[in-house]
Amino acid sequence: MSSKRPAAVQIREVGPRDGFQNEPESIPTPDKIRLIEMLAAAGYKRIEVASFVRPDVLPQLADGEEVLRGIRVPADVELMVLIPNTRGLDRALAVRDTFHAASIFVSASETHNMKNINRTVEQTLADDVGMARRILAEGLKLDAVIATSFGCPYEGKVPLDRVLGIAERYAEMGATEIGFGDTTGMANPAYVADFFSAALERLPGVELTAHFHNTRGQGLANAYAALEVGVDSFESSFGELGGCPVPVGSTGNIATEDLASMFEEMGVETGLNLDAVIAAAREAQSVL
Ligand code: ZN
C-alpha cells in the first residue's frame, strides 16, 4: 500500500446542484427535497444542495430557498451552497440558518471565466474578497472552487502555477477547503499526481478537494491518481448527473457509485452505503 494513500476519504455529493442544474427540465421542489434526504440517509456528510445563480439564468435552481427550508437531514451533515456573486450571497444569507458552508468560485482560465460569469479573473477575485469576509462573519465555512484547474476548452493547458496562485489567494481570504474542478474533463492521471503533490505542499492546512469529470473517460483514473498522492476529499454526482453548462454539451461528473465502489474495494473508507446511493440514483432517474 502506498504510504500517502489515505485510509478514509470524504465524498461530497454534488448531484443536487451540479446535476439538477444541467437537466433540461426543472425538478419539482418536493422531489429535490426527497432526493437530498435520501442522500443524507445514504451516509453522506457533505452535500451541495443549491446555487444562488439568477433564476432567469438557471430556472432549474430558482427554488434554492425553498429547498433549503424544506430539507431535514441529520445534524452532522454539512450542507453547502454555491454563491456566484454578491446578489446571490444576499439571497443565501436571507436563509442563513439553513446551511453550513458557502462556496465561491472562479475559473483559472480567463476565457472560461468570461464566458461563464462575464467577468475577468481579477474582477472576480476582487469581489470574492468582500464575499469571503461576509461569509466568514456569519460563522459559515468558506469553500472556494477553481474551475478549469486542469485545462480549458478555449485556452488549452492552464499553468499549474497560475491555479495554485489563485488557490493561495483563496486561502488568504480564509477558505479552509479549496476544490479543483476538471470542468471539461481534460486532466490525465500523471498530471493529476504532479498537480496535487505540488498543491499539497503549497497549501498546508487547507483541505484540497478533487472534482473530476468523465468527459474523456478518465475520471476514475484521475481520482485514483489524486488518492495515491494523499488527496482525501472528492466530489461526485449520484447517477452521474450533471457536468458543466459551458461550453454547452460538456457533461460528465463522475458517478458517486463508481467512485465509492472503487475506494471501498481498495479498502479506503467512504462512509457511504452504496446500495442506498444507487437507490437514490434510481429514484432520480424516475423523477427525470
Ligand atoms: Zn462537476
Side-chain angles (χ1 to χ4, degrees), residues 29-30 32-34 36-37 63-73 79 98:
T29 309
K32 286 183 182 172
I33 291 170
R34 190 162 46 85
I36 291 166
E37 290 176 347
D63 59 354
E65 291 92 340
E66 284 169 83
V67 170
L68 282 164
R69 283 201 199 99
I71 41 184
R72 297 288 174 269
V73 296
L79 300 176
T98 59

Side-chain angles (χ1 to χ4, degrees), residues 136-218:
L136 292 170
E138 292 285 342
L140 293 161
K141 180 186 168 204
L142 176 67
D143 288 7
V145 171
I146 305 175
T148 65
S149 282
F150 304 91
C152 165
Y154 311 106
E155 295 183 12
K157 206 163 161 132
V158 179
L160 186 149
D161 206 52
R162 175 177 170 86
V163 182
L164 297 187
I166 293 171
E168 283 169 341
R169 288 173 69 178
Y170 277 132
E172 282 162 22
M173 290 180 212
T176 48
E177 181 185 339
I178 299 177
F180 298 92
D182 186 19
T183 312
T184 54
M186 293 173 71
N188 68 71
Y191 185 65
V192 165
D194 291 346
F195 180 97
F196 277 107
S197 297
L200 287 160
E201 217 163 273
R202 272 178 63 170
L203 296 152
V206 180
E207 183 173 12
L208 307 183
T209 297
H211 181 125
F212 293 117
H213 282 188
N214 214 21
T215 323
R216 295 189 301 162
Q218 295 179 40

Side-chain angles (χ1 to χ4, degrees), residues 254-274:
I254 50 178
T256 307
E257 309 87 281
D258 296 343
L259 184 69
S261 97
M262 178 178 80
F263 286 157
E264 291 286 345
E265 286 182 30
M266 289 173 65
V268 177
E269 270 176 52
T270 65
L272 294 177
N273 175 340
L274 266 172

